[in-house]
Short mmCIF file of all heavy atoms in Angstrom, two decimals:
data_model
loop_
_atom_site.label_atom_id
_atom_site.label_comp_id
_atom_site.label_asym_id
_atom_site.label_seq_id
_atom_site.Cartn_x
_atom_site.Cartn_y
_atom_site.Cartn_z
N GLU Y 80 -38.19 47.10 -22.51
CA GLU Y 80 -38.57 48.04 -23.62
C GLU Y 80 -38.02 47.55 -24.92
O GLU Y 80 -38.74 47.68 -25.97
CB GLU Y 80 -38.11 49.48 -23.26
CG GLU Y 80 -38.37 50.47 -24.39
CD GLU Y 80 -39.91 50.66 -24.63
OE1 GLU Y 80 -40.69 50.49 -23.74
OE2 GLU Y 80 -40.23 51.03 -25.78
N VAL Y 81 -36.80 47.09 -24.94
CA VAL Y 81 -36.23 46.48 -26.19
C VAL Y 81 -37.07 45.36 -26.65
O VAL Y 81 -37.42 45.20 -27.86
CB VAL Y 81 -34.78 46.04 -25.97
CG1 VAL Y 81 -34.29 45.23 -27.18
CG2 VAL Y 81 -33.92 47.27 -25.72
N MET Y 82 -37.55 44.50 -25.74
CA MET Y 82 -38.30 43.34 -26.07
C MET Y 82 -39.67 43.73 -26.72
O MET Y 82 -40.12 43.18 -27.69
CB MET Y 82 -38.56 42.45 -24.87
CG MET Y 82 -37.32 41.78 -24.34
SD MET Y 82 -37.55 40.91 -22.82
CE MET Y 82 -38.47 39.54 -23.33
N VAL Y 83 -40.32 44.72 -26.17
CA VAL Y 83 -41.52 45.24 -26.67
C VAL Y 83 -41.34 45.71 -28.09
O VAL Y 83 -42.17 45.47 -28.98
CB VAL Y 83 -42.11 46.44 -25.80
CG1 VAL Y 83 -43.22 47.14 -26.48
CG2 VAL Y 83 -42.61 45.87 -24.43
N ARG Y 84 -40.29 46.45 -28.34
CA ARG Y 84 -39.97 46.96 -29.73
C ARG Y 84 -39.69 45.79 -30.66
O ARG Y 84 -40.05 45.84 -31.79
CB ARG Y 84 -38.83 47.97 -29.67
CG ARG Y 84 -39.15 49.21 -28.88
CD ARG Y 84 -38.08 50.29 -28.98
NE ARG Y 84 -38.40 51.38 -28.18
CZ ARG Y 84 -37.82 52.60 -28.37
NH1 ARG Y 84 -36.97 52.81 -29.32
NH2 ARG Y 84 -38.16 53.61 -27.57
N ASP Y 85 -38.94 44.79 -30.12
CA ASP Y 85 -38.64 43.65 -30.96
C ASP Y 85 -39.89 42.82 -31.36
O ASP Y 85 -39.97 42.35 -32.46
CB ASP Y 85 -37.63 42.74 -30.29
CG ASP Y 85 -36.20 43.26 -30.39
OD1 ASP Y 85 -35.91 44.06 -31.26
OD2 ASP Y 85 -35.29 42.88 -29.58
N VAL Y 86 -40.81 42.76 -30.42
CA VAL Y 86 -42.07 42.05 -30.72
C VAL Y 86 -42.81 42.79 -31.83
O VAL Y 86 -43.21 42.14 -32.87
CB VAL Y 86 -42.96 42.00 -29.47
CG1 VAL Y 86 -44.40 41.63 -29.82
CG2 VAL Y 86 -42.42 41.03 -28.44
N ARG Y 87 -42.94 44.07 -31.74
CA ARG Y 87 -43.63 44.85 -32.77
C ARG Y 87 -42.86 44.77 -34.11
O ARG Y 87 -43.49 44.67 -35.18
CB ARG Y 87 -43.74 46.36 -32.31
CG ARG Y 87 -44.65 46.50 -31.16
CD ARG Y 87 -44.57 47.96 -30.61
NE ARG Y 87 -45.49 48.21 -29.48
CZ ARG Y 87 -45.35 49.16 -28.68
NH1 ARG Y 87 -44.27 49.99 -28.72
NH2 ARG Y 87 -46.25 49.31 -27.64
N ASP Y 88 -41.53 44.82 -34.05
CA ASP Y 88 -40.74 44.84 -35.24
C ASP Y 88 -40.88 43.43 -35.98
O ASP Y 88 -41.02 43.43 -37.23
CB ASP Y 88 -39.30 45.10 -34.96
CG ASP Y 88 -38.44 45.21 -36.19
OD1 ASP Y 88 -38.72 46.09 -37.04
OD2 ASP Y 88 -37.50 44.39 -36.36
N ALA Y 89 -40.80 42.35 -35.17
CA ALA Y 89 -40.93 41.02 -35.82
C ALA Y 89 -42.29 40.83 -36.47
O ALA Y 89 -42.35 40.34 -37.62
CB ALA Y 89 -40.74 39.98 -34.75
N LEU Y 90 -43.31 41.30 -35.87
CA LEU Y 90 -44.66 41.11 -36.40
C LEU Y 90 -44.88 42.04 -37.62
O LEU Y 90 -45.50 41.64 -38.56
CB LEU Y 90 -45.72 41.33 -35.36
CG LEU Y 90 -45.71 40.29 -34.20
CD1 LEU Y 90 -46.59 40.70 -33.11
CD2 LEU Y 90 -46.05 38.88 -34.79
N SER Y 91 -44.35 43.20 -37.54
CA SER Y 91 -44.48 44.14 -38.71
C SER Y 91 -43.70 43.65 -39.92
O SER Y 91 -44.03 43.90 -41.06
CB SER Y 91 -43.92 45.57 -38.31
OG SER Y 91 -42.52 45.56 -38.16
N ALA Y 92 -42.64 42.82 -39.66
CA ALA Y 92 -41.87 42.27 -40.78
C ALA Y 92 -42.59 41.06 -41.42
O ALA Y 92 -42.20 40.58 -42.47
CB ALA Y 92 -40.48 41.82 -40.29
N GLY Y 93 -43.64 40.53 -40.71
CA GLY Y 93 -44.42 39.47 -41.23
C GLY Y 93 -44.39 38.18 -40.44
O GLY Y 93 -44.96 37.12 -40.92
N ALA Y 94 -43.73 38.13 -39.31
CA ALA Y 94 -43.73 36.95 -38.47
C ALA Y 94 -45.10 36.60 -38.04
O ALA Y 94 -45.99 37.46 -37.87
CB ALA Y 94 -42.84 37.18 -37.28
N HIS Y 95 -45.40 35.34 -37.92
CA HIS Y 95 -46.67 34.84 -37.55
C HIS Y 95 -46.93 34.91 -35.99
O HIS Y 95 -48.09 34.80 -35.54
CB HIS Y 95 -46.92 33.38 -37.99
CG HIS Y 95 -46.81 33.27 -39.51
ND1 HIS Y 95 -45.57 33.01 -40.10
CD2 HIS Y 95 -47.77 33.33 -40.50
CE1 HIS Y 95 -45.77 32.94 -41.41
NE2 HIS Y 95 -47.05 33.13 -41.68
N GLY Y 96 -45.88 34.97 -35.23
CA GLY Y 96 -46.01 35.03 -33.81
C GLY Y 96 -44.69 35.27 -33.19
O GLY Y 96 -43.64 35.30 -33.87
N VAL Y 97 -44.67 35.35 -31.89
CA VAL Y 97 -43.44 35.57 -31.09
C VAL Y 97 -43.35 34.61 -29.89
O VAL Y 97 -44.41 34.11 -29.48
CB VAL Y 97 -43.33 37.04 -30.62
CG1 VAL Y 97 -43.11 38.03 -31.79
CG2 VAL Y 97 -44.58 37.40 -29.81
N VAL Y 98 -42.18 34.40 -29.45
CA VAL Y 98 -41.93 33.52 -28.34
C VAL Y 98 -41.21 34.35 -27.27
O VAL Y 98 -40.08 34.92 -27.56
CB VAL Y 98 -41.06 32.33 -28.78
CG1 VAL Y 98 -40.88 31.36 -27.63
CG2 VAL Y 98 -41.66 31.63 -30.00
N VAL Y 99 -41.74 34.48 -26.04
CA VAL Y 99 -41.24 35.38 -25.10
C VAL Y 99 -41.26 34.80 -23.68
O VAL Y 99 -41.85 33.75 -23.47
CB VAL Y 99 -42.09 36.72 -25.10
CG1 VAL Y 99 -42.10 37.34 -26.46
CG2 VAL Y 99 -43.49 36.44 -24.55
N GLY Y 100 -40.62 35.49 -22.74
CA GLY Y 100 -40.68 35.15 -21.37
C GLY Y 100 -39.95 36.07 -20.51
O GLY Y 100 -38.88 36.61 -20.94
N CYS Y 101 -40.40 36.31 -19.27
CA CYS Y 101 -39.73 37.17 -18.27
C CYS Y 101 -40.24 36.78 -16.89
O CYS Y 101 -41.38 36.33 -16.73
CB CYS Y 101 -39.92 38.63 -18.54
SG CYS Y 101 -41.59 39.24 -18.78
N GLN Y 102 -39.33 36.88 -15.95
CA GLN Y 102 -39.74 36.56 -14.60
C GLN Y 102 -39.18 37.53 -13.53
O GLN Y 102 -38.29 38.33 -13.84
CB GLN Y 102 -39.21 35.11 -14.23
CG GLN Y 102 -37.67 35.00 -14.30
CD GLN Y 102 -37.24 33.57 -14.20
OE1 GLN Y 102 -36.13 33.25 -14.68
NE2 GLN Y 102 -37.97 32.66 -13.62
N GLN Y 103 -39.75 37.51 -12.38
CA GLN Y 103 -39.39 38.37 -11.29
C GLN Y 103 -38.12 37.85 -10.65
O GLN Y 103 -37.69 36.69 -10.91
CB GLN Y 103 -40.46 38.38 -10.22
CG GLN Y 103 -41.85 38.82 -10.73
CD GLN Y 103 -42.01 40.38 -10.84
OE1 GLN Y 103 -41.02 41.10 -10.81
NE2 GLN Y 103 -43.22 40.84 -10.90
N ALA Y 104 -37.56 38.59 -9.72
CA ALA Y 104 -36.32 38.20 -9.04
C ALA Y 104 -36.53 36.90 -8.19
O ALA Y 104 -35.62 36.15 -8.02
CB ALA Y 104 -35.88 39.30 -8.11
N ASP Y 105 -37.78 36.64 -7.79
CA ASP Y 105 -38.09 35.45 -6.94
C ASP Y 105 -38.32 34.22 -7.85
O ASP Y 105 -38.64 33.15 -7.34
CB ASP Y 105 -39.22 35.68 -6.04
CG ASP Y 105 -40.55 35.96 -6.72
OD1 ASP Y 105 -40.58 35.95 -7.91
OD2 ASP Y 105 -41.55 36.21 -6.01
N GLY Y 106 -38.27 34.41 -9.18
CA GLY Y 106 -38.43 33.26 -10.06
C GLY Y 106 -39.85 33.14 -10.63
O GLY Y 106 -40.02 32.45 -11.66
N THR Y 107 -40.79 33.80 -10.03
CA THR Y 107 -42.18 33.73 -10.56
C THR Y 107 -42.29 34.57 -11.89
O THR Y 107 -41.42 35.36 -12.13
CB THR Y 107 -43.21 34.26 -9.56
OG1 THR Y 107 -42.87 35.57 -9.26
CG2 THR Y 107 -43.19 33.42 -8.28
N LEU Y 108 -43.27 34.24 -12.69
CA LEU Y 108 -43.42 34.96 -13.92
C LEU Y 108 -43.66 36.45 -13.61
O LEU Y 108 -44.34 36.81 -12.67
CB LEU Y 108 -44.62 34.42 -14.74
CG LEU Y 108 -44.40 33.05 -15.36
CD1 LEU Y 108 -45.66 32.68 -16.16
CD2 LEU Y 108 -43.15 33.01 -16.30
N ASP Y 109 -43.12 37.30 -14.48
CA ASP Y 109 -43.32 38.77 -14.47
C ASP Y 109 -44.64 39.03 -15.16
O ASP Y 109 -44.65 39.24 -16.34
CB ASP Y 109 -42.12 39.51 -15.08
CG ASP Y 109 -42.31 40.96 -15.08
OD1 ASP Y 109 -43.38 41.48 -14.66
OD2 ASP Y 109 -41.32 41.70 -15.44
N ARG Y 110 -45.71 39.05 -14.42
CA ARG Y 110 -47.03 39.19 -15.01
C ARG Y 110 -47.18 40.51 -15.77
O ARG Y 110 -47.68 40.56 -16.86
CB ARG Y 110 -48.10 39.08 -13.92
CG ARG Y 110 -49.53 39.01 -14.43
CD ARG Y 110 -50.53 38.97 -13.31
NE ARG Y 110 -51.83 38.73 -13.85
CZ ARG Y 110 -52.44 37.56 -13.91
NH1 ARG Y 110 -51.87 36.47 -13.40
NH2 ARG Y 110 -53.72 37.49 -14.42
N ASP Y 111 -46.74 41.56 -15.21
CA ASP Y 111 -46.88 42.92 -15.79
C ASP Y 111 -45.98 42.95 -17.12
O ASP Y 111 -46.39 43.47 -18.17
CB ASP Y 111 -46.41 44.01 -14.88
CG ASP Y 111 -47.36 44.22 -13.76
OD1 ASP Y 111 -48.52 43.71 -13.86
OD2 ASP Y 111 -46.96 44.82 -12.69
N GLY Y 112 -44.72 42.37 -17.07
CA GLY Y 112 -43.92 42.36 -18.26
C GLY Y 112 -44.52 41.51 -19.39
O GLY Y 112 -44.56 41.97 -20.55
N LEU Y 113 -45.03 40.40 -19.05
CA LEU Y 113 -45.68 39.55 -20.02
C LEU Y 113 -46.92 40.18 -20.62
O LEU Y 113 -47.20 40.10 -21.81
CB LEU Y 113 -46.11 38.17 -19.42
CG LEU Y 113 -44.99 37.21 -19.19
CD1 LEU Y 113 -45.50 35.94 -18.47
CD2 LEU Y 113 -44.34 36.74 -20.51
N ALA Y 114 -47.72 40.88 -19.80
CA ALA Y 114 -48.86 41.66 -20.26
C ALA Y 114 -48.45 42.72 -21.29
O ALA Y 114 -49.14 42.84 -22.35
CB ALA Y 114 -49.63 42.27 -19.12
N ARG Y 115 -47.33 43.35 -21.10
CA ARG Y 115 -46.84 44.37 -22.02
C ARG Y 115 -46.47 43.71 -23.36
O ARG Y 115 -46.79 44.22 -24.38
CB ARG Y 115 -45.65 45.11 -21.43
CG ARG Y 115 -45.93 46.14 -20.41
CD ARG Y 115 -44.69 46.92 -20.11
NE ARG Y 115 -44.27 47.67 -21.28
CZ ARG Y 115 -43.09 48.31 -21.39
NH1 ARG Y 115 -42.24 48.23 -20.41
NH2 ARG Y 115 -42.78 49.04 -22.46
N LEU Y 116 -45.87 42.54 -23.27
CA LEU Y 116 -45.40 41.84 -24.48
C LEU Y 116 -46.65 41.31 -25.28
O LEU Y 116 -46.66 41.40 -26.50
CB LEU Y 116 -44.47 40.67 -24.15
CG LEU Y 116 -43.16 41.12 -23.52
CD1 LEU Y 116 -42.40 39.98 -22.98
CD2 LEU Y 116 -42.30 41.94 -24.57
N VAL Y 117 -47.64 40.82 -24.52
CA VAL Y 117 -48.87 40.30 -25.24
C VAL Y 117 -49.58 41.55 -25.87
O VAL Y 117 -50.06 41.42 -26.96
CB VAL Y 117 -49.77 39.60 -24.19
CG1 VAL Y 117 -51.18 39.36 -24.80
CG2 VAL Y 117 -49.11 38.28 -23.75
N ASP Y 118 -49.59 42.65 -25.17
CA ASP Y 118 -50.23 43.79 -25.76
C ASP Y 118 -49.54 44.30 -26.98
O ASP Y 118 -50.11 44.70 -27.96
CB ASP Y 118 -50.23 44.91 -24.66
CG ASP Y 118 -50.97 46.17 -25.18
OD1 ASP Y 118 -52.18 46.09 -25.41
OD2 ASP Y 118 -50.31 47.25 -25.28
N ALA Y 119 -48.17 44.27 -26.92
CA ALA Y 119 -47.37 44.63 -28.11
C ALA Y 119 -47.62 43.72 -29.30
O ALA Y 119 -47.54 44.09 -30.45
CB ALA Y 119 -45.87 44.60 -27.79
#
Side-chain angles (χ1 to χ4, degrees):
E80 177 61 29
V81 169
M82 293 172 71
V83 167
R84 295 186 183 201
D85 280 340
V86 166
R87 292 173 179 156
D88 186 60
L90 295 171
S91 70
H95 300 88
V97 292
V98 184
V99 303
C101 51
Q102 64 191 154
Q103 303 278 19
D105 65 0
T107 59
L108 289 181
D109 181 351
R110 189 183 185 99
D111 291 341
L113 283 174
R115 285 189 64 192
L116 296 171
V117 170
D118 183 64

